Amino acid sequence: MLFGVITGRKEIWIINDLGLFPRRIGGMMIALTPSRFAGPIPPLRVQKDILSVTQSSNSFSPQTVWMLDVRDNRDRDAFAAIFDHFAPRLKGFVMRSGTSAAQAEEIVQDVMLTVWRKSDQFDPARAQVSAWIYQITRNRQIDVLRKENRPIPDELTIDPEAAPDASQVIAVEQEAGKLKQAIARLKPDQRRIIEQAYLGELTHQEISTRTGLPLGTIKSRIRLGLEKLRHDLKDMH
Amino acid sequence: MTAITHHTPDALLAAYAAGNLARPYALLVAAHISMCLECRAALDAHHVAGGVVLDATDAAEISTDLKAATLAMLDTPYEAKPVQARSGIYPGAIMAALKGKPPRWKPLGMGVRQCILSDSAEGSARLLYIPAGRAVPDHSHNGLELTLVLQGSFSDSTGRFGVGDLEVADQSLEHTPTADPGVPCICIAATDAPLRFNARIPRILQPFFRI
Ligand SMILES: [Zn+2]
């Protein structure tokens, strides 16, 4: 899907990106059909671990590719693409909590800068780009609101060499896509409750009685990824 | 370490992900996730859902110069906020509440000690140190009480709670957590309301002990 719409210089960019994947995504099996590339193919930095995959469905969403390029290559064009996609939604999202337009833009800027500065924390094997940005946004809104940092879990120590495979990333994206469809199919008032819950408008008591999102499969999928990381860590020691 | 069997209820995780959980509870949820892979994955799942909501939000028009201003700031040096690291049995979130120092225990009698981390209108969070075989002084509470075990284990009428287990007790539960034999039990308890005592310590002393 993604590779079909990208042309010209960006093709080379993707290949470069792939060359970088094995650094984070060990043993990853992803690749491109050579015929999709019109331009000359630059030498890959890492040749092994790359297989040919013809199905275009076996690729990452544009957002994930942009974000990986920000993370691994500090690519400003990719960051600009992330900005164009998320900044307007983010502003709308923040304003739904009653934030003024001016303050919402401040938060949008803060969040986007955090996306750039903390890109090493982005892990597509655990959650899609919008999930990561959602998390940053809520943390930021709460810190602004309460003028203090909220308690956060310890970061998982991740071995930079060992990380999940592409199939895990794709599976998480697919689960997120299914959830999106499930929410879109809800009746408007039910959908409104889900939105309220994730906008921080419902207490935990209200959530326990009023929502019931099908999160089971996503949870087990993410847990699989986390367990794999943990095993990789064990192997290392 | 035995496996964690008592986890964070989903509604608490969703409220935590959305940032709408009273701070004392948020502290325990963050600490539990630090120790529990299952709840870490579940929290990620709520972030996935939050991301879906974010993605589906109608775009608002942004000022024309916001993008250029943001891009211009990419190279601005910035200092990352220091993150409190885990220390011994205490996850980073609890160490942050302790301001990076070891707990300063205050005796409660019978060898039981406590260290109050926060106490406000929003509720309270405190560390409890319970020698083996000792009970936490009998109490009931107005709201929800969360207890996370950091060392040793305790048991009460609802079961046994080991390291990493999170007990969720609502106001109907009048329980008497008792530390199991072995190392002293260290746990952290949070409420969204002041605790009231049933016995042992005269009511007049309660403000002093702040239990
Ligand atoms: Zn758990």
Side-chain angles (χ1 to χ4, degrees), chain A residues 93-137:
Chain A
F93 181 81
V94 171
M95 286 180 70
R96 286 176 73 172
S97 314
T99 309
S100 71
Q103 208 192 356
E105 290 207 345
E106 261 175 50
I107 291 174
V108 168
Q109 188 168 58
D110 277 349
V111 169
M112 294 315 296
L113 283 173
T114 303
V115 164
W116 175 259
R117 288 167 177 165
K118 298 201 175 159
S119 62
D120 60 319
Q121 288 175 7
F122 169 64
D123 184 356
R126 292 177 57 184
Q128 81 281 19
V129 181
S130 63
W132 186 57
I133 294 183
Y134 168 78
Q135 187 184 353
I136 294 172
T137 307

Coordinates of all heavy atoms in Angstrom, one line a residue, chain A residues 93-137:
Chain A
F93 N -8.3 17.7 18.8 CA -8.4 16.8 19.9 C -8.3 17.5 21.2 O -9.1 17.4 22.1 CB -7.3 15.7 19.8 CG -7.3 14.7 20.9 CD1 -8.2 13.6 20.8 CD2 -6.4 14.8 21.9 CE1 -8.2 12.7 21.9 CE2 -6.4 13.8 22.9 CZ -7.3 12.8 22.9
V94 N -7.2 18.4 21.3 CA -6.9 19.1 22.5 C -8.1 20.1 22.8 O -8.5 20.3 24.0 CB -5.6 19.8 22.4 CG1 -5.4 20.8 23.6 CG2 -4.4 18.8 22.4
M95 N -8.6 20.7 21.7 CA -9.7 21.7 22.0 C -11.0 21.1 22.4 O -11.8 21.8 23.0 CB -9.9 22.5 20.7 CG -8.8 23.5 20.4 SD -9.0 24.5 18.9 CE -10.4 25.6 19.4
R96 N -11.1 19.8 22.1 CA -12.3 19.1 22.6 C -12.4 19.1 24.1 O -13.5 18.9 24.7 CB -12.4 17.7 22.0 CG -12.8 17.7 20.6 CD -12.8 16.3 20.0 NE -13.9 15.5 20.5 CZ -14.2 14.3 20.0 NH1 -13.4 13.8 19.1 NH2 -15.2 13.7 20.4
S97 N -11.2 19.2 24.8 CA -11.2 19.2 26.2 C -11.4 20.6 26.8 O -11.2 20.8 28.0 CB -9.9 18.6 26.8 OG -9.5 17.5 26.1
G98 N -11.8 21.5 25.9 CA -12.2 22.8 26.4 C -10.9 23.8 26.4 O -11.0 24.9 26.9
T99 N -9.8 23.4 25.8 CA -8.7 24.2 25.8 C -8.9 25.3 24.7 O -9.4 25.0 23.6 CB -7.4 23.4 25.4 OG1 -7.4 22.3 26.3 CG2 -6.1 24.2 25.6
S100 N -8.4 26.5 25.0 CA -8.5 27.6 24.0 C -7.6 27.3 22.7 O -6.7 26.5 22.8 CB -8.1 28.9 24.6 OG -6.7 28.9 24.8
A101 N -8.0 27.9 21.6 CA -7.2 27.7 20.4 C -5.8 28.0 20.6 O -4.9 27.3 20.1 CB -7.8 28.5 19.3
A102 N -5.5 29.1 21.3 CA -4.1 29.5 21.4 C -3.3 28.5 22.3 O -2.2 28.1 21.9 CB -4.0 30.9 22.0
Q103 N -3.9 28.1 23.4 CA -3.2 27.2 24.2 C -3.1 25.8 23.6 O -2.1 25.1 23.8 CB -3.9 27.0 25.6 CG -2.9 26.6 26.7 CD -3.5 26.2 28.0 OE1 -4.7 26.3 28.2 NE2 -2.7 25.8 28.9
A104 N -4.1 25.5 22.8 CA -4.1 24.2 22.1 C -2.9 24.2 21.1 O -2.2 23.2 21.0 CB -5.4 24.0 21.3
E105 N -2.6 25.3 20.5 CA -1.4 25.3 19.6 C -0.1 25.2 20.3 O 0.8 24.6 19.8 CB -1.5 26.6 18.7 CG -2.6 26.5 17.7 CD -2.4 27.3 16.4 OE1 -1.5 28.2 16.4 OE2 -3.1 27.1 15.4
E106 N -0.1 25.8 21.5 CA 1.1 25.6 22.3 C 1.3 24.1 22.7 O 2.4 23.6 22.6 CB 0.9 26.4 23.7 CG 1.6 27.7 23.7 CD 1.3 28.4 25.0 OE1 1.4 27.8 26.1 OE2 0.8 29.6 24.9
I107 N 0.2 23.5 23.0 CA 0.3 22.0 23.3 C 0.7 21.2 22.1 O 1.6 20.4 22.2 CB -1.0 21.5 24.0 CG1 -1.2 22.1 25.3 CG2 -1.0 20.0 24.1 CD1 -2.5 21.8 26.0
V108 N 0.1 21.6 20.9 CA 0.5 20.9 19.7 C 2.0 21.0 19.4 O 2.7 20.1 19.1 CB -0.3 21.5 18.5 CG1 0.2 21.0 17.2 CG2 -1.8 21.1 18.6
Q109 N 2.5 22.3 19.6 CA 3.9 22.5 19.4 C 4.8 21.7 20.4 O 5.8 21.0 20.0 CB 4.3 24.0 19.5 CG 5.7 24.3 19.1 CD 5.9 25.7 18.9 OE1 5.8 26.5 19.8 NE2 6.4 26.1 17.7
D110 N 4.4 21.7 21.6 CA 5.1 20.9 22.6 C 5.1 19.4 22.3 O 6.2 18.8 22.4 CB 4.4 21.1 24.0 CG 4.9 22.3 24.7 OD1 5.8 23.0 24.3 OD2 4.2 22.6 25.7
V111 N 4.0 18.9 21.9 CA 3.9 17.5 21.6 C 4.7 17.2 20.4 O 5.5 16.2 20.4 CB 2.4 17.1 21.4 CG1 2.3 15.7 20.8 CG2 1.6 17.2 22.7
M112 N 4.6 18.0 19.4 CA 5.4 17.7 18.1 C 6.9 17.8 18.4 O 7.7 17.0 17.9 CB 5.0 18.7 17.0 CG 3.6 18.5 16.5 SD 3.0 16.8 16.2 CE 4.1 16.3 14.9
L113 N 7.3 18.7 19.3 CA 8.7 18.7 19.6 C 9.1 17.5 20.4 O 10.3 17.0 20.2 CB 9.0 20.0 20.4 CG 9.1 21.3 19.6 CD1 9.3 22.5 20.5 CD2 10.3 21.2 18.6
T114 N 8.2 17.0 21.3 CA 8.5 15.8 22.0 C 8.7 14.6 21.1 O 9.5 13.7 21.3 CB 7.4 15.6 23.1 OG1 7.4 16.7 23.9 CG2 7.8 14.3 23.9
V115 N 7.8 14.6 20.1 CA 7.9 13.5 19.1 C 9.3 13.5 18.4 O 9.8 12.4 18.2 CB 6.8 13.7 18.0 CG1 7.0 12.9 16.7 CG2 5.4 13.4 18.6
W116 N 9.8 14.7 18.2 CA 11.1 14.8 17.5 C 12.2 14.4 18.6 O 13.1 13.6 18.3 CB 11.3 16.2 17.0 CG 12.7 16.5 16.5 CD1 13.7 17.1 17.2 CD2 13.3 16.1 15.2 NE1 14.9 17.2 16.4 CE2 14.6 16.6 15.2 CE3 12.7 15.4 14.1 CZ2 15.4 16.4 14.0 CZ3 13.6 15.2 13.0 CH2 14.9 15.7 13.0
R117 N 12.1 14.9 19.8 CA 13.2 14.8 20.7 C 13.2 13.4 21.4 O 14.3 12.9 21.7 CB 13.0 15.8 21.9 CG 13.4 17.2 21.4 CD 12.9 18.2 22.4 NE 13.3 19.6 21.9 CZ 12.8 20.7 22.4 NH1 11.9 20.7 23.4 NH2 13.2 21.9 22.0
K118 N 12.0 12.8 21.5 CA 12.0 11.5 22.2 C 11.7 10.4 21.2 O 11.1 9.3 21.6 CB 11.0 11.5 23.4 CG 11.4 12.6 24.4 CD 10.7 12.3 25.7 CE 11.2 13.2 26.8 NZ 10.2 13.3 27.9
S119 N 12.0 10.6 20.0 CA 11.6 9.6 19.0 C 12.2 8.2 19.3 O 11.7 7.2 18.8 CB 12.1 10.1 17.6 OG 13.5 10.2 17.5
D120 N 13.3 8.2 20.0 CA 13.9 6.8 20.4 C 12.9 6.0 21.2 O 13.1 4.8 21.3 CB 15.2 7.0 21.1 CG 15.1 7.8 22.4 OD1 14.4 8.8 22.4 OD2 15.8 7.4 23.3
Q121 N 11.9 6.7 21.8 CA 11.0 5.9 22.6 C 9.8 5.3 21.8 O 9.0 4.6 22.3 CB 10.4 6.8 23.7 CG 11.4 7.1 24.8 CD 10.9 8.0 25.8 OE1 9.7 8.4 25.8 NE2 11.8 8.5 26.7
F122 N 9.8 5.7 20.5 CA 8.7 5.2 19.6 C 9.0 3.7 19.3 O 10.0 3.4 18.8 CB 8.6 6.0 18.4 CG 7.7 5.4 17.3 CD1 6.3 5.2 17.6 CD2 8.2 5.0 16.1 CE1 5.5 4.6 16.6 CE2 7.4 4.4 15.2 CZ 6.0 4.2 15.4
D123 N 8.0 2.9 19.6 CA 8.2 1.5 19.4 C 6.9 0.9 18.7 O 5.9 0.7 19.3 CB 8.4 0.7 20.7 CG 8.7 -0.8 20.4 OD1 8.6 -1.2 19.3 OD2 8.9 -1.5 21.4
P124 N 7.0 0.8 17.3 CA 5.8 0.4 16.6 C 5.3 -1.0 16.9 O 4.2 -1.4 16.5 CB 6.2 0.5 15.1 CG 7.7 0.4 15.1 CD 8.2 1.0 16.5
A125 N 6.2 -1.8 17.6 CA 5.7 -3.1 18.0 C 4.8 -3.1 19.1 O 4.2 -4.1 19.4 CB 7.0 -4.0 18.3
R126 N 4.7 -1.9 19.8 CA 3.8 -1.8 20.9 C 2.5 -1.0 20.6 O 1.5 -1.3 21.2 CB 4.5 -1.2 22.1 CG 5.6 -2.1 22.7 CD 6.4 -1.5 23.8 NE 5.5 -1.1 24.9 CZ 6.0 -0.4 25.9 NH1 7.2 -0.1 26.0 NH2 5.1 -0.1 26.9
A127 N 2.7 0.0 19.8 CA 1.5 0.8 19.5 C 1.8 1.6 18.3 O 2.9 2.0 18.0 CB 1.1 1.7 20.7
Q128 N 0.7 1.9 17.5 CA 0.9 2.7 16.3 C 1.2 4.2 16.6 O 1.1 4.6 17.8 CB -0.4 2.6 15.5 CG -1.6 3.5 15.8 CD -2.4 3.0 17.0 OE1 -2.0 2.2 17.8 NE2 -3.6 3.6 17.2
V129 N 1.6 4.9 15.6 CA 2.1 6.3 15.9 C 1.1 7.1 16.6 O 1.4 7.8 17.6 CB 2.5 7.0 14.5 CG1 3.0 8.4 14.8 CG2 3.5 6.2 13.8
S130 N -0.2 7.0 16.2 CA -1.2 7.9 16.8 C -1.4 7.5 18.3 O -1.7 8.4 19.1 CB -2.6 7.8 16.1 OG -3.0 6.4 16.2
A131 N -1.1 6.3 18.7 CA -1.2 5.9 20.1 C -0.1 6.5 20.9 O -0.3 7.0 22.0 CB -1.1 4.3 20.2
W132 N 1.1 6.5 20.3 CA 2.2 7.1 21.0 C 2.0 8.6 21.1 O 2.3 9.2 22.2 CB 3.5 6.8 20.2 CG 4.8 7.3 20.8 CD1 5.2 6.9 22.1 CD2 5.7 8.2 20.3 NE1 6.4 7.5 22.3 CE2 6.8 8.3 21.3 CE3 5.9 8.9 19.1 CZ2 7.9 9.1 21.1 CZ3 7.0 9.7 18.9 CH2 8.0 9.8 19.9
I133 N 1.5 9.3 20.1 CA 1.3 10.7 20.2 C 0.1 11.0 21.2 O 0.1 12.0 21.9 CB 1.0 11.3 18.8 CG1 2.3 11.2 17.9 CG2 0.5 12.7 18.8 CD1 2.2 11.7 16.5
Y134 N -0.9 10.1 21.2 CA -2.0 10.3 22.2 C -1.4 10.3 23.6 O -1.7 11.1 24.4 CB -3.0 9.1 22.0 CG -3.9 9.0 23.2 CD1 -5.0 9.9 23.3 CD2 -3.8 8.1 24.2 CE1 -5.9 9.8 24.3 CE2 -4.7 8.0 25.3 CZ -5.7 8.8 25.3 OH -6.6 8.8 26.4
Q135 N -0.5 9.3 23.8 CA 0.1 9.2 25.2 C 0.9 10.5 25.5 O 0.7 11.0 26.6 CB 1.0 8.0 25.2 CG 1.6 7.6 26.5 CD 2.6 6.5 26.4 OE1 2.8 5.9 25.3 NE2 3.3 6.2 27.5
I136 N 1.7 11.0 24.6 CA 2.5 12.2 24.8 C 1.5 13.4 25.1 O 1.7 14.2 26.0 CB 3.4 12.5 23.6 CG1 4.4 11.4 23.4 CG2 4.0 13.9 23.8 CD1 5.2 11.6 22.2
T137 N 0.4 13.4 24.3 CA -0.5 14.5 24.4 C -1.2 14.5 25.8 O -1.3 15.6 26.5 CB -1.5 14.5 23.3 OG1 -0.9 14.3 22.1 CG2 -2.4 15.7 23.3

